[in-house]
Amino acid sequence: MSGGETLDFEIRPNPAPVAAAERSALLANPGFGRIFTDHMVTIRYADGKGWYDARVEARAPIPMDPATAVLHYAQEIFEGLKAYRSADGGVTMFRPDANAARFRASAQRMAMAPVPERLFLDALDALIRTDRDWVPDDPEGSLYLRPFQYASEVFLGVKPSSEYLFVIIASPVGSYFKGGVQPVNVWVSRDYSRAANGGTGAAKCGGNYAASLVAQAEAIEHGCDQVVFLDASEQRYVEELGGMNVFYVFDDGSLTTPPLTGTILPGITRESVIRLARDRGLTVREELYSYEQWQADARSGRLREAFACGTAAVITPIGTVRDRDGEFTVADGKAGEVTMSLRDTLVGIQRGVTADPHGWVHRVL
Ligand SMILES: *Cc1c(COP(=O)(O)O)cnc(C)c1O
């Protein structure tokens, strides 16, 4: 199958969906990642056969043989994106084509059969249409979509799997920040790195997260919300957070973000922020930025703002920065003006209340 191919979906409605009253109660306070819609997408792959059996079916546990390859060698990738309720009651997604392309790139890095991009997009549309009542009406809420793919061959040999399962589940989520956007405190890990040259840092795979959890736990122990990783070879240059990219805003109005050298996840929010900043005539550098420089620029006042970005929280200001030797704050530790204004524009486009000059919004319903 080439990138443009797709399949017909068999829709098998859940015979026992959540009742409307219970669904409304769940949607009133969904939190993050704990409640799920009535359905899921499943599509199977086998070498020699390609992708087959595309279904929308009742969300249910997936029986798994204990020798299933993913349980042993972690051949697994995922994506994360959101569907939004628009003002006219319709439903949209933000740049799902970029997620489809990144999913394919992640599959290639992990030696997995890629899902054709057209099929990935059709699968998202099919699930959203079926579970449309689960998209929150709350203007701060959204339906978080989690496509993933894993090695489903039953075999203990170390080799790329000959079979895969592609699944999409969906989870309604509320506002990430209760009571307004709050700056996060970050912990700079000096003991652990996330990704090395030639490794899997640019692939959105579960294994990268497994590797980051011990550093994230260290961040929490030290009173921080998130971990910042430095480069693996010199422990010198800032790379990204556990699941978000990072930006710096300077006193001349310019921005810097670390370059995509293969060890950083190419965030779709990151790329959107670069474009929106350049639309405003701001200079954006994709350039190495050392932790030492970060400290010096915060001290001198040259650094005015820092923020993290990703699908879950969109744009999050960074307040205090801590490591094993001490801490400092970025400017006054509050959310910066450029940060919040870029955030407003991006959220406005995603929600359909701001013009969409780049055609990023994809209408489903
Ligand atoms: C998903 C992810 C991001 C953010 O990517 P978006 O496409 O903006 O959501 C950043 N870093 C890591 C490690 C990620 O897994």
Side-chain angles (χ1 to χ4, degrees), residues 78-81 99 102 194 201 203-205 208-209 240-245 264-271 309-312 314:
F78 67 94
E79 273 300 328
L81 69 162
N99 294 92
R102 187 170 66 189
R194 195 189 80 92
K204 207 168 175 74
C205 62
N208 288 340
Y209 278 76
E240 61 171 314
L241 279 61
M244 287 191 267
N245 296 111
I264 292 179
L265 200 286
I268 295 160
T269 318
R270 174 189 179 279
E271 206 225 342
C309 67
T311 295
V314 194

PDB file of all heavy atoms in Angstrom, residues 78-81 99 102 194 201 203-205 208-209 240-245 264-271 309-312 314, ligand 1:
ATOM      1  N   PHE A  78       3.223   5.662  18.966  1.00  0.00           N
ATOM      2  CA  PHE A  78       1.901   6.254  19.198  1.00  0.00           C
ATOM      3  C   PHE A  78       1.847   7.694  18.704  1.00  0.00           C
ATOM      4  O   PHE A  78       2.854   8.265  18.313  1.00  0.00           O
ATOM      5  CB  PHE A  78       1.510   6.164  20.678  1.00  0.00           C
ATOM      6  CG  PHE A  78       2.347   6.995  21.620  1.00  0.00           C
ATOM      7  CD1 PHE A  78       1.926   8.270  21.983  1.00  0.00           C
ATOM      8  CD2 PHE A  78       3.532   6.513  22.156  1.00  0.00           C
ATOM      9  CE1 PHE A  78       2.674   9.046  22.872  1.00  0.00           C
ATOM     10  CE2 PHE A  78       4.288   7.286  23.030  1.00  0.00           C
ATOM     11  CZ  PHE A  78       3.859   8.555  23.387  1.00  0.00           C
ATOM     12  N   GLU A  79       0.648   8.250  18.717  1.00  0.00           N
ATOM     13  CA  GLU A  79       0.423   9.659  18.404  1.00  0.00           C
ATOM     14  C   GLU A  79      -0.541  10.233  19.426  1.00  0.00           C
ATOM     15  O   GLU A  79      -1.183   9.484  20.174  1.00  0.00           O
ATOM     16  CB  GLU A  79      -0.178   9.826  16.994  1.00  0.00           C
ATOM     17  CG  GLU A  79       0.869   9.901  15.890  1.00  0.00           C
ATOM     18  CD  GLU A  79       1.820  11.073  16.071  1.00  0.00           C
ATOM     19  OE1 GLU A  79       1.392  12.119  16.592  1.00  0.00           O
ATOM     20  OE2 GLU A  79       3.003  10.951  15.710  1.00  0.00           O
ATOM     21  N   GLY A  80      -0.637  11.542  19.467  1.00  0.00           N
ATOM     22  CA  GLY A  80      -1.609  12.206  20.338  1.00  0.00           C
ATOM     23  C   GLY A  80      -2.100  13.461  19.637  1.00  0.00           C
ATOM     24  O   GLY A  80      -1.291  14.276  19.205  1.00  0.00           O
ATOM     25  N   LEU A  81      -3.412  13.582  19.472  1.00  0.00           N
ATOM     26  CA  LEU A  81      -3.991  14.800  18.895  1.00  0.00           C
ATOM     27  C   LEU A  81      -5.401  14.976  19.442  1.00  0.00           C
ATOM     28  O   LEU A  81      -5.898  14.110  20.156  1.00  0.00           O
ATOM     29  CB  LEU A  81      -3.972  14.759  17.362  1.00  0.00           C
ATOM     30  CG  LEU A  81      -4.882  13.787  16.628  1.00  0.00           C
ATOM     31  CD1 LEU A  81      -5.028  14.239  15.173  1.00  0.00           C
ATOM     32  CD2 LEU A  81      -4.340  12.372  16.640  1.00  0.00           C
ATOM     33  N   ASN A  99       0.277  14.540  12.029  1.00  0.00           N
ATOM     34  CA  ASN A  99       0.383  13.354  12.885  1.00  0.00           C
ATOM     35  C   ASN A  99       0.523  12.088  12.036  1.00  0.00           C
ATOM     36  O   ASN A  99       1.285  11.176  12.372  1.00  0.00           O
ATOM     37  CB  ASN A  99      -0.854  13.213  13.781  1.00  0.00           C
ATOM     38  CG  ASN A  99      -0.955  14.347  14.787  1.00  0.00           C
ATOM     39  OD1 ASN A  99      -1.592  15.357  14.508  1.00  0.00           O
ATOM     40  ND2 ASN A  99      -0.302  14.207  15.922  1.00  0.00           N
ATOM     41  N   ARG A 102       4.069  11.947  10.782  1.00  0.00           N
ATOM     42  CA  ARG A 102       5.015  11.612  11.852  1.00  0.00           C
ATOM     43  C   ARG A 102       4.874  10.153  12.273  1.00  0.00           C
ATOM     44  O   ARG A 102       5.861   9.491  12.589  1.00  0.00           O
ATOM     45  CB  ARG A 102       4.805  12.545  13.043  1.00  0.00           C
ATOM     46  CG  ARG A 102       5.849  12.366  14.125  1.00  0.00           C
ATOM     47  CD  ARG A 102       5.767  13.446  15.181  1.00  0.00           C
ATOM     48  NE  ARG A 102       4.524  13.373  15.933  1.00  0.00           N
ATOM     49  CZ  ARG A 102       4.117  14.304  16.798  1.00  0.00           C
ATOM     50  NH1 ARG A 102       4.850  15.388  17.000  1.00  0.00           N
ATOM     51  NH2 ARG A 102       2.994  14.163  17.449  1.00  0.00           N
ATOM     52  N   ARG A 194      17.629  11.488  27.495  1.00  0.00           N
ATOM     53  CA  ARG A 194      16.436  10.910  26.876  1.00  0.00           C
ATOM     54  C   ARG A 194      16.766  10.159  25.594  1.00  0.00           C
ATOM     55  O   ARG A 194      16.198   9.116  25.302  1.00  0.00           O
ATOM     56  CB  ARG A 194      15.436  12.037  26.547  1.00  0.00           C
ATOM     57  CG  ARG A 194      14.039  11.587  26.241  1.00  0.00           C
ATOM     58  CD  ARG A 194      13.186  12.733  25.725  1.00  0.00           C
ATOM     59  NE  ARG A 194      13.443  12.972  24.313  1.00  0.00           N
ATOM     60  CZ  ARG A 194      12.765  12.422  23.308  1.00  0.00           C
ATOM     61  NH1 ARG A 194      11.746  11.641  23.564  1.00  0.00           N
ATOM     62  NH2 ARG A 194      13.089  12.680  22.062  1.00  0.00           N
ATOM     63  N   GLY A 201      15.219   9.133  19.507  1.00  0.00           N
ATOM     64  CA  GLY A 201      14.664  10.365  20.066  1.00  0.00           C
ATOM     65  C   GLY A 201      13.626  11.060  19.199  1.00  0.00           C
ATOM     66  O   GLY A 201      12.728  11.729  19.715  1.00  0.00           O
ATOM     67  N   ALA A 203      11.532   9.539  17.174  1.00  0.00           N
ATOM     68  CA  ALA A 203      10.346   8.695  16.969  1.00  0.00           C
ATOM     69  C   ALA A 203       9.446   8.797  18.190  1.00  0.00           C
ATOM     70  O   ALA A 203       9.929   8.856  19.322  1.00  0.00           O
ATOM     71  CB  ALA A 203      10.772   7.239  16.756  1.00  0.00           C
ATOM     72  N   LYS A 204       8.140   8.840  17.960  1.00  0.00           N
ATOM     73  CA  LYS A 204       7.220   8.905  19.104  1.00  0.00           C
ATOM     74  C   LYS A 204       6.928   7.459  19.511  1.00  0.00           C
ATOM     75  O   LYS A 204       5.952   6.854  19.062  1.00  0.00           O
ATOM     76  CB  LYS A 204       5.953   9.666  18.713  1.00  0.00           C
ATOM     77  CG  LYS A 204       5.279  10.340  19.908  1.00  0.00           C
ATOM     78  CD  LYS A 204       4.210  11.319  19.457  1.00  0.00           C
ATOM     79  CE  LYS A 204       3.468  11.898  20.639  1.00  0.00           C
ATOM     80  NZ  LYS A 204       4.265  12.891  21.385  1.00  0.00           N
ATOM     81  N   CYS A 205       7.824   6.908  20.325  1.00  0.00           N
ATOM     82  CA  CYS A 205       7.682   5.506  20.725  1.00  0.00           C
ATOM     83  C   CYS A 205       7.613   5.409  22.244  1.00  0.00           C
ATOM     84  O   CYS A 205       8.180   6.237  22.963  1.00  0.00           O
ATOM     85  CB  CYS A 205       8.845   4.667  20.183  1.00  0.00           C
ATOM     86  SG  CYS A 205      10.469   5.122  20.782  1.00  0.00           S
ATOM     87  N   ASN A 208      10.824   5.602  24.524  1.00  0.00           N
ATOM     88  CA  ASN A 208      11.419   6.878  24.937  1.00  0.00           C
ATOM     89  C   ASN A 208      10.817   7.337  26.260  1.00  0.00           C
ATOM     90  O   ASN A 208      11.504   7.935  27.093  1.00  0.00           O
ATOM     91  CB  ASN A 208      11.176   7.961  23.880  1.00  0.00           C
ATOM     92  CG  ASN A 208      12.015   7.764  22.629  1.00  0.00           C
ATOM     93  OD1 ASN A 208      13.029   7.059  22.650  1.00  0.00           O
ATOM     94  ND2 ASN A 208      11.592   8.379  21.545  1.00  0.00           N
ATOM     95  N   TYR A 209       9.528   7.087  26.416  1.00  0.00           N
ATOM     96  CA  TYR A 209       8.856   7.490  27.658  1.00  0.00           C
ATOM     97  C   TYR A 209       9.318   6.622  28.818  1.00  0.00           C
ATOM     98  O   TYR A 209       9.543   7.106  29.937  1.00  0.00           O
ATOM     99  CB  TYR A 209       7.338   7.457  27.474  1.00  0.00           C
ATOM    100  CG  TYR A 209       6.850   8.729  26.804  1.00  0.00           C
ATOM    101  CD1 TYR A 209       7.030   8.940  25.445  1.00  0.00           C
ATOM    102  CD2 TYR A 209       6.271   9.740  27.543  1.00  0.00           C
ATOM    103  CE1 TYR A 209       6.635  10.111  24.837  1.00  0.00           C
ATOM    104  CE2 TYR A 209       5.866  10.924  26.949  1.00  0.00           C
ATOM    105  CZ  TYR A 209       6.052  11.105  25.592  1.00  0.00           C
ATOM    106  OH  TYR A 209       5.668  12.278  24.997  1.00  0.00           O
ATOM    107  N   GLU A 240      14.810  18.915  25.210  1.00  0.00           N
ATOM    108  CA  GLU A 240      13.371  19.119  25.369  1.00  0.00           C
ATOM    109  C   GLU A 240      12.947  18.598  26.725  1.00  0.00           C
ATOM    110  O   GLU A 240      13.771  18.109  27.503  1.00  0.00           O
ATOM    111  CB  GLU A 240      12.600  18.425  24.241  1.00  0.00           C
ATOM    112  CG  GLU A 240      12.789  16.919  24.193  1.00  0.00           C
ATOM    113  CD  GLU A 240      11.833  16.249  23.200  1.00  0.00           C
ATOM    114  OE1 GLU A 240      10.643  16.579  23.219  1.00  0.00           O
ATOM    115  OE2 GLU A 240      12.295  15.394  22.426  1.00  0.00           O
ATOM    116  N   LEU A 241      11.642  18.708  27.020  1.00  0.00           N
ATOM    117  CA  LEU A 241      11.103  18.132  28.240  1.00  0.00           C
ATOM    118  C   LEU A 241      10.718  16.678  27.955  1.00  0.00           C
ATOM    119  O   LEU A 241      10.877  16.208  26.832  1.00  0.00           O
ATOM    120  CB  LEU A 241       9.892  18.942  28.710  1.00  0.00           C
ATOM    121  CG  LEU A 241      10.224  20.230  29.502  1.00  0.00           C
ATOM    122  CD1 LEU A 241      11.022  21.229  28.701  1.00  0.00           C
ATOM    123  CD2 LEU A 241       8.938  20.884  30.016  1.00  0.00           C
ATOM    124  N   GLY A 242      10.194  15.982  28.948  1.00  0.00           N
ATOM    125  CA  GLY A 242       9.818  14.573  28.758  1.00  0.00           C
ATOM    126  C   GLY A 242       8.844  14.379  27.607  1.00  0.00           C
ATOM    127  O   GLY A 242       8.935  13.392  26.876  1.00  0.00           O
ATOM    128  N   GLY A 243       7.920  15.316  27.437  1.00  0.00           N
ATOM    129  CA  GLY A 243       6.926  15.194  26.369  1.00  0.00           C
ATOM    130  C   GLY A 243       6.548  16.521  25.755  1.00  0.00           C
ATOM    131  O   GLY A 243       5.458  16.672  25.209  1.00  0.00           O
ATOM    132  N   MET A 244       7.432  17.517  25.854  1.00  0.00           N
ATOM    133  CA  MET A 244       7.160  18.837  25.276  1.00  0.00           C
ATOM    134  C   MET A 244       8.449  19.442  24.746  1.00  0.00           C
ATOM    135  O   MET A 244       9.519  19.232  25.310  1.00  0.00           O
ATOM    136  CB  MET A 244       6.571  19.784  26.344  1.00  0.00           C
ATOM    137  CG  MET A 244       5.139  19.491  26.722  1.00  0.00           C
ATOM    138  SD  MET A 244       4.440  20.818  27.730  1.00  0.00           S
ATOM    139  CE  MET A 244       4.791  20.185  29.358  1.00  0.00           C
ATOM    140  N   ASN A 245       8.328  20.245  23.693  1.00  0.00           N
ATOM    141  CA  ASN A 245       9.472  20.995  23.172  1.00  0.00           C
ATOM    142  C   ASN A 245       9.603  22.315  23.935  1.00  0.00           C
ATOM    143  O   ASN A 245       8.713  22.705  24.673  1.00  0.00           O
ATOM    144  CB  ASN A 245       9.293  21.247  21.675  1.00  0.00           C
ATOM    145  CG  ASN A 245       9.279  19.952  20.870  1.00  0.00           C
ATOM    146  OD1 ASN A 245       8.249  19.560  20.316  1.00  0.00           O
ATOM    147  ND2 ASN A 245      10.412  19.279  20.810  1.00  0.00           N
ATOM    148  N   ILE A 264      15.553  14.940  19.109  1.00  0.00           N
ATOM    149  CA  ILE A 264      14.395  15.676  19.632  1.00  0.00           C
ATOM    150  C   ILE A 264      13.151  15.259  18.857  1.00  0.00           C
ATOM    151  O   ILE A 264      13.218  15.027  17.647  1.00  0.00           O
ATOM    152  CB  ILE A 264      14.648  17.195  19.497  1.00  0.00           C
ATOM    153  CG1 ILE A 264      15.767  17.604  20.444  1.00  0.00           C
ATOM    154  CG2 ILE A 264      13.379  17.999  19.746  1.00  0.00           C
ATOM    155  CD1 ILE A 264      16.117  19.064  20.368  1.00  0.00           C
ATOM    156  N   LEU A 265      12.034  15.163  19.578  1.00  0.00           N
ATOM    157  CA  LEU A 265      10.778  14.821  18.927  1.00  0.00           C
ATOM    158  C   LEU A 265      10.287  16.039  18.126  1.00  0.00           C
ATOM    159  O   LEU A 265      10.159  17.132  18.697  1.00  0.00           O
ATOM    160  CB  LEU A 265       9.760  14.429  20.008  1.00  0.00           C
ATOM    161  CG  LEU A 265       8.534  13.601  19.641  1.00  0.00           C
ATOM    162  CD1 LEU A 265       7.500  14.415  18.885  1.00  0.00           C
ATOM    163  CD2 LEU A 265       8.876  12.345  18.873  1.00  0.00           C
ATOM    164  N   PRO A 266      10.029  15.873  16.836  1.00  0.00           N
ATOM    165  CA  PRO A 266       9.571  17.012  16.028  1.00  0.00           C
ATOM    166  C   PRO A 266       8.106  17.344  16.329  1.00  0.00           C
ATOM    167  O   PRO A 266       7.198  16.842  15.676  1.00  0.00           O
ATOM    168  CB  PRO A 266       9.762  16.543  14.583  1.00  0.00           C
ATOM    169  CG  PRO A 266       9.774  15.049  14.654  1.00  0.00           C
ATOM    170  CD  PRO A 266      10.235  14.654  16.023  1.00  0.00           C
ATOM    171  N   GLY A 267       7.895  18.181  17.320  1.00  0.00           N
ATOM    172  CA  GLY A 267       6.541  18.510  17.772  1.00  0.00           C
ATOM    173  C   GLY A 267       5.777  19.301  16.727  1.00  0.00           C
ATOM    174  O   GLY A 267       6.322  20.193  16.067  1.00  0.00           O
ATOM    175  N   ILE A 268       4.501  18.986  16.599  1.00  0.00           N
ATOM    176  CA  ILE A 268       3.638  19.715  15.663  1.00  0.00           C
ATOM    177  C   ILE A 268       3.302  21.079  16.267  1.00  0.00           C
ATOM    178  O   ILE A 268       3.196  22.077  15.558  1.00  0.00           O
ATOM    179  CB  ILE A 268       2.392  18.869  15.344  1.00  0.00           C
ATOM    180  CG1 ILE A 268       2.846  17.610  14.597  1.00  0.00           C
ATOM    181  CG2 ILE A 268       1.373  19.663  14.525  1.00  0.00           C
ATOM    182  CD1 ILE A 268       1.871  16.464  14.624  1.00  0.00           C
ATOM    183  N   THR A 269       3.190  21.134  17.592  1.00  0.00           N
ATOM    184  CA  THR A 269       2.992  22.427  18.250  1.00  0.00           C
ATOM    185  C   THR A 269       4.236  23.290  18.039  1.00  0.00           C
ATOM    186  O   THR A 269       4.131  24.486  17.736  1.00  0.00           O
ATOM    187  CB  THR A 269       2.722  22.229  19.755  1.00  0.00           C
ATOM    188  OG1 THR A 269       1.834  21.127  19.935  1.00  0.00           O
ATOM    189  CG2 THR A 269       2.115  23.475  20.367  1.00  0.00           C
ATOM    190  N   ARG A 270       5.424  22.689  18.204  1.00  0.00           N
ATOM    191  CA  ARG A 270       6.687  23.403  17.970  1.00  0.00           C
ATOM    192  C   ARG A 270       6.693  24.050  16.593  1.00  0.00           C
ATOM    193  O   ARG A 270       6.981  25.235  16.448  1.00  0.00           O
ATOM    194  CB  ARG A 270       7.849  22.404  18.109  1.00  0.00           C
ATOM    195  CG  ARG A 270       9.228  22.963  17.750  1.00  0.00           C
ATOM    196  CD  ARG A 270      10.251  21.808  17.715  1.00  0.00           C
ATOM    197  NE  ARG A 270      11.585  22.278  17.365  1.00  0.00           N
ATOM    198  CZ  ARG A 270      11.989  22.526  16.117  1.00  0.00           C
ATOM    199  NH1 ARG A 270      11.155  22.366  15.087  1.00  0.00           N
ATOM    200  NH2 ARG A 270      13.224  22.953  15.893  1.00  0.00           N
ATOM    201  N   GLU A 271       6.370  23.253  15.573  1.00  0.00           N
ATOM    202  CA  GLU A 271       6.414  23.765  14.206  1.00  0.00           C
ATOM    203  C   GLU A 271       5.366  24.856  14.002  1.00  0.00           C
ATOM    204  O   GLU A 271       5.603  25.848  13.293  1.00  0.00           O
ATOM    205  CB  GLU A 271       6.201  22.624  13.211  1.00  0.00           C
ATOM    206  CG  GLU A 271       6.832  22.912  11.876  1.00  0.00           C
ATOM    207  CD  GLU A 271       5.926  22.581  10.716  1.00  0.00           C
ATOM    208  OE1 GLU A 271       4.947  21.820  10.894  1.00  0.00           O
ATOM    209  OE2 GLU A 271       6.181  23.106   9.624  1.00  0.00           O
ATOM    210  N   CYS A 309       5.986  23.413  24.904  1.00  0.00           N
ATOM    211  CA  CYS A 309       4.784  23.264  24.084  1.00  0.00           C
ATOM    212  C   CYS A 309       4.593  21.835  23.610  1.00  0.00           C
ATOM    213  O   CYS A 309       5.535  21.094  23.383  1.00  0.00           O
ATOM    214  CB  CYS A 309       4.834  24.230  22.907  1.00  0.00           C
ATOM    215  SG  CYS A 309       6.107  23.884  21.704  1.00  0.00           S
ATOM    216  N   GLY A 310       3.319  21.455  23.509  1.00  0.00           N
ATOM    217  CA  GLY A 310       2.920  20.132  23.043  1.00  0.00           C
ATOM    218  C   GLY A 310       1.400  20.084  22.994  1.00  0.00           C
ATOM    219  O   GLY A 310       0.739  20.994  23.498  1.00  0.00           O
ATOM    220  N   THR A 311       0.865  19.039  22.409  1.00  0.00           N
ATOM    221  CA  THR A 311      -0.585  18.949  22.206  1.00  0.00           C
ATOM    222  C   THR A 311      -1.375  19.029  23.511  1.00  0.00           C
ATOM    223  O   THR A 311      -2.395  19.718  23.584  1.00  0.00           O
ATOM    224  CB  THR A 311      -0.917  17.628  21.475  1.00  0.00           C
ATOM    225  OG1 THR A 311      -0.331  17.703  20.177  1.00  0.00           O
ATOM    226  CG2 THR A 311      -2.405  17.401  21.365  1.00  0.00           C
ATOM    227  N   ALA A 312      -0.908  18.346  24.552  1.00  0.00           N
ATOM    228  CA  ALA A 312      -1.713  18.228  25.775  1.00  0.00           C
ATOM    229  C   ALA A 312      -1.976  19.587  26.412  1.00  0.00           C
ATOM    230  O   ALA A 312      -3.115  19.935  26.695  1.00  0.00           O
ATOM    231  CB  ALA A 312      -1.040  17.287  26.763  1.00  0.00           C
ATOM    232  N   VAL A 314      -0.734  22.626  25.125  1.00  0.00           N
ATOM    233  CA  VAL A 314      -0.508  23.627  24.068  1.00  0.00           C
ATOM    234  C   VAL A 314       0.783  24.414  24.353  1.00  0.00           C
ATOM    235  O   VAL A 314       1.826  24.070  23.832  1.00  0.00           O
ATOM    236  CB  VAL A 314      -1.708  24.581  23.868  1.00  0.00           C
ATOM    237  CG1 VAL A 314      -1.532  25.350  22.545  1.00  0.00           C
ATOM    238  CG2 VAL A 314      -3.020  23.811  23.846  1.00  0.00           C
TER     239      VAL A 314
HETATM  240  C1  LIG B   1       4.555  14.285  21.507  1.00  0.00           C
HETATM  241  C2  LIG B   1       5.804  14.878  22.016  1.00  0.00           C
HETATM  242  C3  LIG B   1       6.068  16.259  21.940  1.00  0.00           C
HETATM  243  C4  LIG B   1       5.060  17.269  21.447  1.00  0.00           C
HETATM  244  O1  LIG B   1       4.623  17.039  20.159  1.00  0.00           O
HETATM  245  P1  LIG B   1       3.262  17.695  19.645  1.00  0.00           P
HETATM  246  O2  LIG B   1       3.134  17.197  18.256  1.00  0.00           O
HETATM  247  O3  LIG B   1       3.450  19.152  19.710  1.00  0.00           O
HETATM  248  O4  LIG B   1       2.189  17.213  20.555  1.00  0.00           O
HETATM  249  C5  LIG B   1       7.297  16.711  22.374  1.00  0.00           C
HETATM  250  N1  LIG B   1       8.219  15.871  22.896  1.00  0.00           N
HETATM  251  C6  LIG B   1       7.988  14.548  23.007  1.00  0.00           C
HETATM  252  C7  LIG B   1       9.043  13.681  23.582  1.00  0.00           C
HETATM  253  C8  LIG B   1       6.777  14.006  22.573  1.00  0.00           C
HETATM  254  O5  LIG B   1       6.562  12.698  22.696  1.00  0.00           O
END
